[in-house]
Amino acid sequence: MDELPIGRRVAYWRGRRKMSQQVFADRLGKSKSWVDKVERGVRRLDKFSVVYEIADVLQVDVQLLLGKDVERRPETQNCIDQVEVEEIRAALERYDQMSAFFQAVPHSPPLAEMRKAVSHAWLTYQHAKYGVLARTLPKLLRDAQAADSAYATGSEAKEAAHLLGQVYQIASSALRKVGEHELSWLAADRSIAVSQRAGDQLLAGLASYRVGSALLALGRVRPALEVNVNIANRLAPTHEPAHKGERLSVYGMLLLNGAMAAARIGDSATVRDLLCGAEQASLELGGDYNHYWTSFGPTNVQLHRCATAVELGDGRTAVETHEKIDVVGFNAMLPERRAHHFLDIARGYTQIGNVEKASEMLLEGDRLAPSEIRCRPLAHEVLSDVLRRTRGTPPAPIAELAEQMGVGV
């Protein structure tokens, strides 16, 4: 896209942000005609102040609009920037499986190496190292696609497909964190098809969970609820001991995700039923585990009780539930999950007007996993809300965090 005129770049990013020309014009304080002329190259953008204003509205680095390489600043090293998103998109746009139908794949990494790389990527995600993950994901996607193609007809075909299915899910989760919901949906959808080839119902169930998460992020709430509940019903635990822990974990996470969707539409009865089902599964599981990278167990159910209460607008219940969470179980959870919870509880505190405690929760999350707070659009919204509600000058730590995140005080 570097060779495109600046007007075409503006049009491209406006489309990516799902803005009409009129909405974009309103946010700039310009006319729709002005925007149209800029995008068609009829009107030149010769003032840097205007270019910077456009970049701010589109939430992209100004260097991207100017067709230059983005300079990665130290404070954004742990976030996923637009350049990295485009590299991940390019990897998702590859169709190596179709190419392999016509000719052999020239190179594929050994599956033993792929296993290690995929496990490392999962841990990187669960430790909320999103910048590190973003810089490795494009190559990991290409390698996993190549492996899936190379081993498509051999005895290792299912394992190769399983690894690719996992990589798609990692990509889906990371992209959703930074607001790239359409790409997140694409990656999750890819994982469903690949997981079926892998012959693993639980991996396919977890792919459905990722699809549900992406749909929920896109505002497609009822389809998100349906996909989670439907697949959960198909994976309902049986009395067979084989893989019982893994099955309970995937089943439970589908119910929890369904509860989040039900909360989004204000269906408190369905929220209650799904949370009860997940709690029963967690009790049967007998503790907190990370089967299939789910972090499922009694503690995660409590975290979702808080999150669904926030979605229902019941901040007081969220805070009261938070105060009863088992500290030992909570501290044993991985950083991404705990920091995500602090963000949820910060929202809960703002709902009851306790800005000071909301600030504390944001700072706790930032100390634990900075990327979960600094890289997520939702965290920017919560911090903006906290700043608006703060009387007088905000405390130095929250003002410093706002400055580092680029949120106006």
Side-chain angles (χ1 to χ4, degrees):
M1 198 171 68
D2 292 350
E3 69 277 5
L4 293 179
I6 188 170
R8 292 281 299 281
R9 294 192 199 100
V10 170
Y12 171 80
W13 286 107
R14 176 181 61 75
R16 286 285 306 282
R17 297 296 179 249
K18 299 293 187 292
M19 287 187 209
S20 65
Q21 284 189 337
Q22 186 62 64
V23 169
F24 184 44
D26 290 344
R27 294 185 182 181
L28 284 172
K30 304 286 187 181
S31 67
K32 181 182 176 183
S33 174
W34 184 91
V35 171
D36 182 64
K37 289 177 181 177
V38 165
E39 292 185 349
R40 288 190 293 114
V42 175
R43 187 182 187 102
R44 294 181 61 190
L45 285 175
D46 49 12
K47 289 185 178 180
F48 277 108
S49 59
V50 176
V51 176
Y52 275 96
E53 189 177 356
I54 289 172
D56 186 54
V57 170
L58 294 175
Q59 296 181 316
V60 301
D61 194 294
V62 70
Q63 299 298 323
L64 281 178
L65 292 183
L66 297 173
K68 299 178 181 178
D69 291 336
V70 175
E71 179 183 352
R72 293 187 171 95
R73 300 180 296 278
E75 65 268 23
T76 63
Q77 283 294 300
N78 284 322
C79 291
I80 303 176
D81 63 28
Q82 285 88 15
V83 172
E84 289 157 348
V85 167
E86 291 309 304
E87 290 173 352
I88 295 170
R89 177 190 295 278
L92 287 171
E93 288 172 347
R94 292 166 61 93
Y95 286 88
D96 286 351
Q97 293 89 343
M98 182 56 70
S99 299
F101 181 75
F102 298 100
Q103 61 185 42
V105 177
H107 170 72
S108 171
L111 291 186
E113 288 183 15
M114 286 299 307
R115 281 195 296 271
K116 292 179 182 178
V118 171
S119 293
H120 184 264
W122 274 120
L123 289 172
T124 304
Y125 171 76
Q126 292 193 315
H127 282 82
K129 303 292 186 182
Y130 302 139
V132 175
L133 180 61
R135 288 185 280 280
T136 60
L137 258 179
K139 182 178 185 301
L140 185 58
L141 277 163
R142 291 191 296 269
D143 286 348
Q145 289 164 340
D148 183 53
S149 299
Y151 298 104
T153 57
S155 59
E156 297 168 306
K158 287 190 174 181
E159 184 181 2
H162 202 286
L163 290 168
L164 178 58
Q166 291 183 63
V167 176
Y168 279 143
Q169 291 193 37
I170 296 167
S172 176
S173 298
L175 289 164
R176 180 173 49 83
K177 288 283 189 182
V178 296
E180 293 290 339
H181 305 318
E182 294 277 3
L183 272 185
S184 174
W185 185 15
L186 170 63
D189 187 69
R190 290 269 183 87
S191 183
I192 287 181
V194 175
S195 300
Q196 289 174 337
R197 284 199 287 106
D200 188 333
Q201 288 187 345
L202 299 184
L203 186 65
L206 203 55
S208 301
Y209 166 89
R210 310 287 175 197
V211 167
S213 297
L215 287 171
L216 187 58
L218 285 164
R220 303 286 296 160
V221 184
R222 290 195 180 278
L225 175 59
E226 289 173 6
V227 72
N228 280 288
V229 173
N230 288 343
I231 302 303
N233 287 337
R234 286 164 173 74
L235 288 178
T238 64
H239 297 295
E240 296 178 9
H243 307 295
K244 185 176 181 180
E246 290 90 340
R247 194 179 191 91
L248 283 166
S249 296
V250 176
Y251 168 75
M253 288 305 296
L254 285 162
L255 294 181
L256 291 179
N257 212 16
M260 292 298 297
R264 187 72 63 86
I265 55 177
D267 187 351
S268 56
T270 298
V271 170
R272 184 173 58 251
D273 290 345
L274 293 174
L275 286 176
C276 285
E279 183 174 42
Q280 183 60 42
S282 74
L283 293 175
E284 192 173 346
L285 184 62
D288 297 307
Y289 295 95
N290 198 22
H291 296 310
Y292 273 71
W293 310 97
T294 57
S295 293
F296 181 73
T299 306
N300 207 350
V301 173
Q302 288 299 93
L303 301 194
H304 279 78
R305 286 193 183 280
C306 295
T308 51
V310 170
E311 288 295 336
L312 288 166
D314 188 359
R316 190 161 302 282
T317 296
V319 169
E320 290 172 355
T321 305
H322 163 72
E323 292 171 348
K324 297 174 184 175
I325 289 174
D326 175 58
V327 175
V328 175
F330 180 72
N331 289 337
M333 300 199 82
L334 289 157
E336 178 273 335
R337 193 82 283 278
R338 284 185 284 156
H340 187 149
H341 174 70
F342 283 129
L343 179 55
D344 286 334
I345 296 304
R347 294 174 65 200
Y349 275 119
T350 61
Q351 289 175 351
I352 62 175
N354 193 334
V355 178
E356 182 178 351
K357 289 294 291 184
S359 299
E360 287 180 18
M361 294 297 101
L362 287 173
L363 292 170
E364 281 291 331
D366 185 62
R367 279 191 285 269
L368 178 65
S371 295
E372 182 66 16
I373 303 301
R374 302 186 185 198
C375 304
R376 296 194 62 190
L378 175 60
H380 285 241
E381 292 175 16
V382 175
L383 181 54
S384 295
D385 192 23
V386 166
L387 294 172
R388 279 195 302 270
R389 293 166 180 258
T390 300
R391 295 181 180 179
T393 305
I398 206 73
E400 182 181 349
L401 178 61
E403 182 180 359
Q404 290 170 338
M405 290 173 61
V407 176
V409 180

